[in-house]
Amino acid sequence: MVTEAVVELEGPSGRPKYDDLLSNPTSDAQAAGHMRASAVYKQKGDRFKLATQAFDRQYAHIYFQRLMLMKPPLLTKVRQKWPGVQLANILTLPENDEVLVVGTVYKDMKLKPSILDEYVKDRGASQLVGRTKFVGADDSIILEDESARMKLRGEGLPVGQLVTGVVMAVKGVAAPGGDFQVNAFCFADMAPQAPLPSLSEDKYVALVSGLGVGDDAADPLKLSLLVDYLVGSLASDEEQTRVSKIVRVVVAGGLLKSTEGLLQAITHKQPRQQAAALAPIREVDMCLSELAGAVPVEVMPGNNDPANHSLPQQPLHRCLFPLASSFTSFNRVTNPHEFEVDGISFLGTSGQNLDDIYKYSVEENRLTLLQRMLEWGHLVPTAPDTLTCYPLSDSDPFILQSAPHVFYVGNQPAYSSQMVAGPEGQKVLLICLPRFSSSGTLILVNLKTLAVHPIQFDADISA
């Protein structure tokens, strides 16, 4: 069970306005500049790096490995919760005896899009156009283990909240007709967490996503202000002191509005046309190189970025960033991405996992869905059913073996954050990062207090 707590906010209340961003230095110390703080960094996302990229395997292996890896710790928990209840598999369920079964959820949804719908006369793709969710009142839950599958029923079963791919334990009785009457259910719950270190001074990790370079509707001045702020070229002495304590910047995907320009550059024969098509990625490279010259930068690929589409997305190719790649402080990382700064662990994605779960759950609050991922013990449960991933046969890198201190997702419709607590005293800061191109929002996380400091950049002088 995960409980909610109040997240601490730093900075001005409401919508902060930094009217002194372009102010003159107020002291000789400010004119001389500030020394950038440093922190101990540790890369923890090696499991998301693929040694080989083979597509000659069946996706069924992923579900089997997920169940085999998550079943033992889940059994340990349910045997403490339901002592004396016999474990059974679906194929040999006894009649009229209360048993517990561990399996993988499959959510049967009539509205779920299918490529075959295009060829069905009475239900075409046009019926699904415009939908943001595909849940319906007639959805049902099927549980599958190593031996067989069965349909679950029960008044307390959270059909609308569950999604395909979740591993769960159910307690109940086999009903006539092959269904299973559920009396209680249990998930893996939040994984163990490393102790929160005690830090003596304020340090910050900056999180941003959805730069959306190449979007004609976006204001390019926002991005310019963001870069100038992070390198320390803006703000008053007080704000520059805070900026000097930013030890790392993480860009959680969404660098480009789309990759259409890169594809067009291949077909264009005229140098002028090629230069125009490549302008967005060159602008990104210039911005990132300027940032990397002042602070360590990590760039994750996103849904519309020039990277592989299947999760885990591998680092963007260095040829896309000829300027930024010349800095040792510039790091191209995977999506998902896990790292540690001064003992504070971060785990995040560019948003595809949360966006996909949102479509197949009745839940509207995206922070609640992040909570559910921690309770389910899995980062991307809907892959490979409705979200593409590599057909891994011997592991599942998305299983949450440990709980992070900060869990973030990028490219969300709006900013939100929340602190949640686990059953063993774990505390996780959840953050939904909005698209910068539309919101102009940068998030600073204080490593000492885990307080959140949102900063909004607006180029509209009348705002």
Side-chain angles (χ1 to χ4, degrees):
M1 178 66 70
V2 177
T3 58
E4 300 179 6
V6 178
V7 63
E8 182 180 353
L9 291 176
E10 289 188 354
S13 60
R15 181 183 177 184
K17 291 186 178 181
Y18 292 93
D19 297 326
D20 56 354
L21 285 181
L22 299 177
S23 62
N24 292 322
T26 57
S27 66
D28 293 339
Q30 184 189 4
H34 295 268
M35 183 68 69
R36 177 75 65 174
S38 61
V40 178
Y41 173 80
K42 183 179 180 181
Q43 169 67 257
K44 299 178 64 178
D46 288 342
R47 69 183 187 275
F48 299 124
K49 295 180 179 179
L50 301 175
T52 59
Q53 300 181 19
F55 292 90
D56 56 351
R57 305 183 183 97
Q58 294 293 322
Y59 280 98
H61 295 296
I62 297 179
Y63 290 116
F64 179 78
Q65 284 297 328
R66 185 180 303 175
L67 181 59
M68 292 298 99
L69 293 171
M70 296 188 68
K71 187 174 183 178
L74 183 54
L75 280 177
T76 301
K77 179 181 178 181
V78 297
R79 281 170 175 158
Q80 295 174 350
K81 186 175 182 178
W82 305 323
V85 181
Q86 179 187 357
L87 173 67
N89 60 48
I90 296 175
L91 195 60
T92 59
L93 279 179
E95 295 183 3
N96 302 321
D97 289 339
E98 187 175 61
V99 295
L100 71 87
V101 181
V102 178
T104 306
V105 168
Y106 173 76
K107 190 172 183 177
D108 187 21
M109 309 176 69
K110 300 296 187 293
L111 295 177
K112 186 171 75 172
S114 170
I115 189 64
L116 298 178
D117 292 339
E118 183 179 345
Y119 304 99
V120 179
K121 293 183 179 180
D122 59 344
R123 180 173 178 263
S126 60
Q127 294 178 273
L128 304 177
V129 173
R131 281 187 175 271
T132 58
K133 285 182 174 290
F134 300 98
V135 293
D138 55 351
D139 295 343
S140 60
I141 297 298
I142 296 171
L143 193 71
E144 180 177 343
D145 67 2
E146 314 94 300
S147 61
R149 54 168 46 187
M150 62 184 180
K151 185 175 181 179
L152 304 183
R153 70 184 191 189
E155 294 183 0
L157 193 65
V159 176
Q161 299 174 7
L162 289 171
V163 295
T164 296
V166 173
V167 175
M168 67 182 298
V170 293
K171 182 181 70 168
V173 179
D179 293 352
F180 189 80
Q181 181 66 37
V182 177
N183 301 326
F185 58 89
C186 181
F187 303 112
D189 222 330
M190 191 182 295
Q193 185 183 61
L196 194 65
S198 178
L199 304 181
S200 59
E201 59 178 324
D202 292 332
K203 293 181 183 179
Y204 297 89
V205 169
L207 303 174
V208 67
S209 73
L211 301 182
V213 177
D215 185 358
D216 294 336
D219 189 345
L221 187 54
K222 287 183 181 179
L223 180 58
S224 179
L225 288 172
L226 171 69
V227 174
D228 288 344
Y229 176 83
L230 290 173
V231 301
S233 299
L234 294 179
S236 64
D237 188 29
E238 178 183 356
E239 195 63 28
Q240 284 200 358
T241 300
R242 187 194 308 277
V243 172
S244 68
K245 296 179 181 179
I246 298 176
V247 296
R248 190 161 293 266
V249 176
V250 179
V251 183
L255 297 175
L256 301 175
K257 174 65 177 179
S258 72
T259 57
E260 183 178 353
L262 294 177
L263 297 176
Q264 289 179 350
I266 301 175
T267 60
H268 290 321
K269 296 182 179 179
Q270 297 296 327
R272 183 176 299 178
Q273 291 177 313
Q274 288 185 341
L278 294 173
I281 192 64
R282 287 174 176 169
E283 182 180 349
V284 170
D285 185 28
M286 290 178 62
C287 292
L288 294 177
S289 64
E290 190 173 349
L291 281 177
V295 60
V297 179
E298 299 190 329
V299 176
M300 301 166 56
N303 191 45
N304 293 325
D305 293 328
N308 59 290
H309 191 67
S310 301
L311 294 179
Q313 287 184 292
Q314 299 304 286
L316 294 160
H317 200 282
R318 74 183 311 272
C319 72
L320 297 169
F321 313 105
L323 299 177
S325 295
S326 63
F327 291 90
T328 57
S329 56
F330 177 73
N331 298 307
R332 298 166 292 107
V333 297
T334 60
N335 171 37
H337 179 40
E338 187 173 17
F339 62 98
E340 188 176 286
V341 181
D342 277 357
I344 305 296
S345 58
F346 288 73
L347 174 63
T349 74
S350 295
Q352 296 99 315
N353 58 335
L354 180 56
D355 291 340
D356 196 62
I357 292 175
Y358 179 84
K359 296 177 185 177
Y360 303 100
S361 170
V362 296
E363 182 59 57
E364 294 288 343
N365 190 324
R366 292 178 180 252
L367 287 176
T368 301
L369 293 177
L370 287 183
Q371 275 187 245
R372 298 261 164 79
M373 292 184 210
L374 295 175
E375 292 176 357
W376 297 334
H378 205 275
L379 189 60
V380 196
T382 56
D385 181 52
T386 54
L387 189 62
T388 59
C389 71
Y390 281 104
L392 303 167
S393 60
D394 55 355
S395 65
D396 186 346
F398 306 117
I399 295 176
L400 298 177
Q401 303 287 359
S402 61
H405 297 117
V406 181
F407 185 21
Y408 66 91
V409 290
N411 300 286
Q412 297 305 298
Y415 159 73
S416 57
S417 62
Q418 177 182 309
M419 184 72 74
V420 296
E424 300 175 0
Q426 308 100 315
K427 289 186 177 181
V428 180
L429 174 62
L430 309 178
I431 305 177
C432 286
L433 302 174
R435 298 179 186 89
F436 183 83
S437 59
S438 57
S439 68
T441 302
L442 167 74
I443 305 299
L444 302 184
V445 178
N446 191 322
L447 299 179
K448 179 182 177 182
T449 62
L450 290 188
V452 179
H453 186 102
I455 299 175
Q456 188 171 21
F457 299 86
D458 197 334
D460 185 1
I461 60 175
S462 63

